[in-house]
Structure formats: C-alpha cells, structure tokens
Amino acid sequence: FMKAIESYRQALKIKPDYVKAYCNLGIALQEQGKVKEAIENYQRALKYNPNHAEAYSNMAAALQQKGDIEEAIISNKKALKINQNSTLALKNISSAYARAVPTWHLTMLNDTTRNKSYLKALQRAITGKELVLDIGTGSGLLSMMAMDYGAEKIITCEVSSTIAETAQKIIHQNGYNQEITVINKKSTDLVVGKDLPRKADILISEILSSEFVGEGVQDTILDAKNRLLKENGKMIPESGDMKIALLESNQAIKEEFFVERVNGYDLSKFNEHTGNKFNIKNNQPIKFLSNEKIAFSYNFYQKENIKKQERILELNITKNGICLGLITWFKLNLYEDIYLENKPSGSEDSHWSNLVYTFNQPLNVSK
C-alpha cells in the first residue's frame, strides 16, 4: 500500500486534476487507517468533478469508518442522486442506515405490551391542554398517542438527524404536523423560550436500555426534570426497580453461555475468553433457583443522580439445581398504578432483553 500511495501522489504531481487518482489514493489511505487524509482526497476529487458518484460513495465509507454516520448517509444520497444504480452507494447506505437506526427499533415498535402500557399511562396522565415534551422521538409513536388523548402541543427531540427526519415524515403522513414539533437536538441542548414556548407540563421518555438506567440516562432525565419540566410536572415513567434472581440451567440456555464437549473434544477452555455478561430473550423457558430481589431502585422525580455504590445482596436458594448465574430485569412504574415489566417468563415477548451475568462455571446448588 505504501508503494501504491507514493505512486498516486507522483501521478497527482504530474496531473493535479486526476480524479481517479484521488479516489484510489483515498482507498489506499483508508486501508492504512488514515481516514481523515482519505476524506481530504475524496473532497479534492469532488472539487474537480462534483458529479463523481464513486468519490461520494468512497467518502461515505470513510465517514462511516470515522463514526460520522449521518454525514455518511448524506454522502451516499449524493452518490445515488448522480447514479441511482450504484451498487457501492446502495451497499454503503444500507450499512450506514443499519448503524443510524439499529434494528432493535423495530422490535420496540412492535412490542404490544410496551405500547399498550404507555397508552394507558398517557390516557391517565393527560387531562387536556398540556404541553408535552417527549425525549427520544423515534418513530413519533408516543407523541402521536399523547396528542390523541388531549395534549395541546407536543415538542419532541431526537439526536439522530436520520430518525428525526423520518419521524417528521411519519407525523406529517398521519396528520399531526401542526400539533407535534420535531427538533433534531439532544434534550440537554433544548432551551425554554426558544425550543419550548414554556416549561412542559408532562415529560415522556423511553430511553431505557436492558440495564434500565444505563450510561447517560440519569443525566438526561435529571437535566430535563430540572430545566424543562414545570414545578410539580408529571413524568412518564415515574420510577422503577432493577431486579435479580438466580438462573436455573437448562440445555438450551446453557449452550448460549458455555461450551463443554463437542464431538468428543473438550472445548471448555474457550469459556475463559467469552466474558460473563450476556443478553437473552425473555420468551425462553426460564426458571429461577431463588426468589427475586430488588438490586436497586430509581425515582425519575429525584433531585440528584444515584451515586456509584456497592451493595451485597443475599439470595436464598429455593430448590436444588444447577445455577448458571444471575439474571436481571426491571419493573417500571409508568404512571400511578400502571406498570411495565420485562420479567423473563417464557410467555410474553418484550423487546428488552434480559441480562445474564454468568459464573465462570455452572454451580451445583442446594436448597
């Protein structure tokens, strides 16, 4: 690659407007991990030929490698505008969309239990004429449901420009574009008097991961409550508990976390390098070896974040068996007596997976 890079540079000294050489040099630089320099060369190619679809496609791939997913999508769209049959641009834009809009959005939107629970909470909380702030627009579903239950105005924010643009189209298609405003910003960047006419009466959020309040969620909720919600304003959700129990082994689940003997060969050493944290769908036939216990609780109305802390919990074993480790889930108090729980049961299918923290090896335990 180094010889190729030097040859392209020599060619460009002889012919500074050699567009193909800029593209090839960019590709070679990308292979060397010099993404910023690669992008600069694609930009030079486009300076000499603004209608060079390949340069836009290559730059999109480099932008995606750099982590600028939204810019990558824009660059791919420009390539497709020039050449709608560009297989490179079509492949790249599909890959970029997959990163910009992860597929878990689809399972979330098709989660009937979640949708019905939020619908009940909105119906109970909205009494009419409220200003509602919805953090994390997604498809715009929660905003449209809130509008149907009597809210006067909805402001919803979304950090992804791709998702925000799509939500705006969905909202317009469903006839809510006058009542619902989509803002392509983080909630922490919203300003009362500019983005919101006044502080909101109700704050809706659904930015929870399978870890319940993961990285950044506490800061986001606390900022919105303190700056963007009126005194004694309502929140959906209101609180929640993170729960744990000991997970009983069965062959199907065990094979997701451990390997032992395969075709007569002992492969158990492989377990030392797979980590101890796994995701599992909660519609599997899961059984516990202990009663459930609350590991921690979170109140969305609280005035400061939970500090990092360690707790020691005792779990009493309720029956003899083989224990794989701990399984976790959460129970949300959406509003008043309306709850939503992704407890692993083997029956209901929640879009939130359950996290399992395995022991290094399955343990034989006694009641």
Side-chain angles (χ1 to χ4, degrees):
F1 278 108
M2 295 310 296
K3 288 183 179 179
I5 288 169
E6 185 55 35
S7 293
Y8 291 132
R9 283 177 173 156
Q10 290 296 327
L12 288 166
K13 284 181 182 178
I14 299 166
K15 186 175 171 58
D17 61 349
Y18 192 179
V19 171
K20 185 67 176 175
Y22 282 118
C23 286
N24 289 344
L25 175 56
I27 292 169
L29 288 165
Q30 261 183 269
E31 290 290 342
Q32 293 293 300
K34 299 177 180 178
V35 180
K36 184 179 178 183
E37 201 175 339
I39 292 170
E40 289 170 355
N41 279 278
Y42 298 137
Q43 289 171 335
R44 291 188 187 105
L46 290 166
K47 178 182 175 183
Y48 289 109
N49 183 359
N51 293 313
H52 201 278
E54 185 182 344
Y56 277 118
S57 295
N58 289 340
M59 185 159 69
L63 287 164
Q64 187 169 333
Q65 188 177 339
K66 186 168 172 275
D68 294 338
I69 307 302
E70 306 290 347
E71 291 299 318
I73 291 170
I74 292 169
S75 190
N76 273 312
K77 283 181 176 179
K78 288 178 179 177
L80 289 168
K81 192 172 183 181
I82 297 164
N83 178 9
Q84 64 180 358
N85 296 315
S86 168
T87 53
L88 179 60
L90 289 167
K91 178 176 75 73
N92 284 347
I93 200 166
S94 176
S95 173
Y97 274 135
R99 288 185 64 183
V101 187
T103 53
W104 55 257
H105 280 85
L106 301 177
T107 55
M108 176 184 73
L109 294 173
N110 287 311
D111 187 335
T112 304
T113 303
R114 164 197 176 266
N115 296 339
K116 285 182 178 177
S117 299
Y118 266 89
L119 193 65
K120 287 179 184 177
L122 290 167
Q123 188 176 13
R124 180 82 61 83
I126 296 170
T127 57
K129 303 301 181 183
E130 288 97 342
L131 172 64
V132 175
L133 173 60
D134 177 13
I135 295 178
T137 308
S139 66
L141 175 63
L142 296 183
S143 290
M144 291 187 289
M145 291 195 305
M147 203 67 236
D148 278 342
Y149 281 112
E152 183 175 6
K153 177 71 178 173
I154 313 281
I155 306 292
T156 181
C157 62
E158 173 59 56
V159 67
S160 164
S161 58
T162 300
I163 295 176
E165 183 182 334
T166 304
Q168 186 64 68
K169 291 176 182 177
I170 290 170
I171 288 165
H172 179 81
Q173 185 180 33
N174 285 276
Y176 295 91
N177 52 303
Q178 296 299 318
E179 298 91 353
I180 301 174
T181 301
V182 179
I183 301 175
N184 181 203
K185 282 185 180 181
K186 289 182 179 180
S187 63
T188 50
D189 294 331
L190 296 178
V191 178
V192 176
K194 180 182 176 183
D195 301 305
L196 287 83
R198 55 184 173 82
K199 289 190 174 185
D201 301 297
I202 300 176
L203 174 64
I204 307 170
S205 63
E206 209 281 58
I207 52 175
L208 305 174
S209 69
S210 296
E211 294 176 310
F212 183 23
V213 281
E215 192 84 21
V217 172
Q218 286 197 79
D219 290 334
T220 299
I221 296 296
L222 188 63
D223 172 79
K225 185 186 78 69
N226 289 341
R227 293 194 311 110
L228 308 174
L229 184 67
K230 75 175 188 180
E231 189 74 23
N232 299 320
K234 300 173 184 177
M235 299 182 77
I236 301 173
E238 295 188 308
S239 62
D241 298 321
M242 188 68 168
K243 297 185 175 184
I244 63 172
L246 293 174
L247 176 62
E248 182 178 16
S249 177
N250 66 50
Q251 193 59 33
I253 295 175
K254 185 179 179 182
E255 288 179 359
E256 293 198 29
F257 309 140
F258 297 100
V259 62
E260 292 177 338
R261 299 192 75 85
V262 178
N263 291 346
Y265 305 103
D266 184 355
L267 307 184
S268 59
K269 280 289 181 184
F270 204 79
N271 298 323
E272 296 175 7
H273 305 287
T274 56
N276 294 85
K277 179 181 176 182
F278 299 89
N279 280 40
I280 188 170
K281 291 296 290 179
N282 72 345
N283 60 352
Q284 298 200 37
I286 290 169
K287 293 183 179 179
F288 301 153
L289 288 169
S290 73
N291 292 325
E292 64 188 58
K293 204 157 199 174
I294 295 173
F296 70 87
S297 299
Y298 182 74
N299 186 337
F300 286 77
Y301 289 107
Q302 63 193 38
K303 295 183 179 179
E304 59 183 33
N305 288 341
I306 298 173
K307 304 296 182 185
K308 285 187 178 180
Q309 57 184 272
E310 291 184 2
R311 293 184 64 198
I312 295 176
L313 302 172
E314 286 190 4
L315 293 165
N316 293 322
I317 297 164
T318 53
K319 63 178 181 176
N320 299 343
I322 298 173
C323 185
L324 297 179
L326 295 169
I327 188 165
T328 71
W329 70 97
F330 59 79
K331 183 177 182 179
L332 282 180
N333 180 195
L334 287 178
Y335 189 73
E336 293 181 345
D337 60 348
I338 300 168
Y339 293 89
L340 175 60
E341 186 172 10
N342 70 324
K343 183 176 181 177
S345 62
S347 55
E348 291 190 9
D349 188 6
S350 169
H351 82 279
W352 285 293
S353 58
N354 296 113
L355 291 175
V356 173
Y357 298 88
T358 60
F359 301 130
N360 290 333
Q361 292 294 333
L363 299 179
N364 281 303
V365 296
S366 301
K367 181 176 178 181

